[in-house]
Amino acid sequence: MPETNWVTLEVKDSQTKNHTIGPVTIWLKKVSNEIWVAYHHTETGDDKSVNQVEVLNWSRWALPDDETQFSFKPIFPNRSVVVKPEYPFSIVKGAKVRVYTRIPVFIRVGLADKPSFVITEIPSVPLLGTWFGTFTEGEMCYWVSTTARRAIDPDIMREWMAVCPIELTNKHQEPLDFDKFCLRVEHLNIYKTDNSLWADETLIIHQGREKYSDIEMKNKLPPEAKGGILLMKPRTPIKKNLAVRSFKLLKDISTWD
């Protein structure tokens, strides 16, 4: 991954500048102590010449000081993500498998000299919402058109997607039909290697489809991402393991923008 993707952009008064990360181009315009933000998605990430600044839908943010240095950093989406394996398979009792899925990141626009100051967040790709669980027990998530693979191919690495290693263990008597699951990305770090983004290793122990799964985020660089550095801490840090539903079937899946 080129070092220029996650940059600090200097924008002085009356200037307009843009920066492209994969399929999204972000514009910043400085007007006195305000920063105006706009963005445009392309289907492939190849069209980086969008030059219709006058028709962009700007959002305006008044800042406490006359700031000119603005940062772009990746962060996981603000909801859990429902993903499915590349090919559905079953995991028998006592078996353990390792899969990898790629999650599109949000781009956090902030102040370069105030890391905790967040102006806005922009999804690198448009995401659809879905309901995970039953009508009486569940949660709003994002549905991502990506798959969980048994092996990761360097050729599929993308600058706007973080690879999430997941280790699944089935401790239930019956086989686990692995067709979709809920990944709680809001608790994961993001690391950067030379050519990719990576997340913490997530361990999921399945106790039964109608029971909670034990989930542990390792909170360290996964072994596949040698030489990586911490780029962004979790959106919602946790100190203990989780006990939540991970494999509950989706009932009457619906999506919306």
Side-chain angles (χ1 to χ4, degrees), residues 218-251:
K218 298 297 286 185
N219 196 32
K220 64 180 182 180
L221 186 72
E224 298 92 338
K226 294 180 180 178
I229 60 172
L230 178 64
L231 192 57
M232 179 61 74
K233 293 183 178 181
R235 180 184 292 276
T236 307
I238 56 172
K239 295 182 179 180
K240 297 181 180 180
N241 295 351
L242 294 174
V244 292
R245 296 190 191 278
S246 297
F247 298 98
K248 187 74 175 181
L249 289 175
L250 276 71
K251 302 294 186 181

Side-chain angles (χ1 to χ4, degrees), residues 29-175:
K29 178 164 66 173
K30 189 74 164 52
V31 181
S32 186
N33 73 326
E34 291 185 6
I35 188 69
W36 294 21
V37 183
Y39 62 91
H40 171 79
H41 286 107
T42 60
E43 291 185 2
T44 64
D46 295 329
D47 178 11
K48 299 183 179 181
S49 59
V50 178
N51 193 24
Q52 297 177 326
V53 177
E54 67 279 2
V55 299
L56 291 171
N57 185 18
W58 294 96
S59 61
R60 297 169 56 175
W61 305 84
L63 304 175
D65 299 300
D66 186 21
E67 303 285 350
T68 60
Q69 302 289 328
F70 302 93
S71 62
F72 296 87
K73 294 182 180 179
I75 190 166
F76 277 117
N78 57 352
R79 301 178 195 164
S80 299
V81 176
V82 177
V83 298
K84 62 181 181 179
E86 186 176 18
Y87 304 103
F89 59 92
S90 296
I91 306 172
V92 300
K93 180 182 179 181
K96 181 184 298 185
V97 299
R98 191 171 182 83
V99 297
Y100 305 86
T101 190
R102 299 178 303 159
I103 303 297
V105 298
F106 281 17
I107 295 140
R108 175 173 284 184
V109 182
L111 299 180
D113 60 347
K114 298 181 178 67
S116 61
F117 194 104
V118 179
I119 297 173
T120 189
E121 293 178 355
I122 298 165
S124 58
V125 298
L127 298 177
L128 295 176
T130 190
W131 182 258
F132 179 78
T134 65
F135 290 115
T136 58
E137 182 182 356
E139 61 185 293
M140 288 185 63
C141 298
Y142 289 118
W143 176 268
V144 176
S145 58
T146 186
T147 56
R149 302 165 178 254
R150 293 301 307 275
I152 192 69
D153 185 345
D155 291 340
I156 67 171
M157 296 296 191
R158 298 292 182 267
E159 58 187 342
W160 64 94
M161 305 184 83
V163 179
C164 302
I166 304 152
E167 188 173 283
L168 306 167
T169 302
N170 183 19
K171 288 193 173 182
H172 190 58
Q173 186 67 36
E174 297 180 356

Side-chain angles (χ1 to χ4, degrees), residues 191-249:
Y191 304 90
K192 184 179 78 68
T193 64
D194 289 340
N195 60 356
S196 57
L197 296 177
W198 286 80
D200 304 320
E201 184 179 15
T202 298
L203 308 182
I204 302 178
I205 300 177
H206 178 61
Q207 306 285 2
R209 190 172 289 275
E210 300 301 325
K211 297 182 180 180
Y212 292 127
S213 297
D214 295 325
I215 299 179
E216 178 185 358
M217 283 75 175
K218 298 297 286 185
N219 196 32
K220 64 180 182 180
L221 186 72
E224 298 92 338
K226 294 180 180 178
I229 60 172
L230 178 64
L231 192 57
M232 179 61 74
K233 293 183 178 181
R235 180 184 292 276
T236 307
I238 56 172
K239 295 182 179 180
K240 297 181 180 180
N241 295 351
L242 294 174
V244 292
R245 296 190 191 278
S246 297
F247 298 98
K248 187 74 175 181
L249 289 175

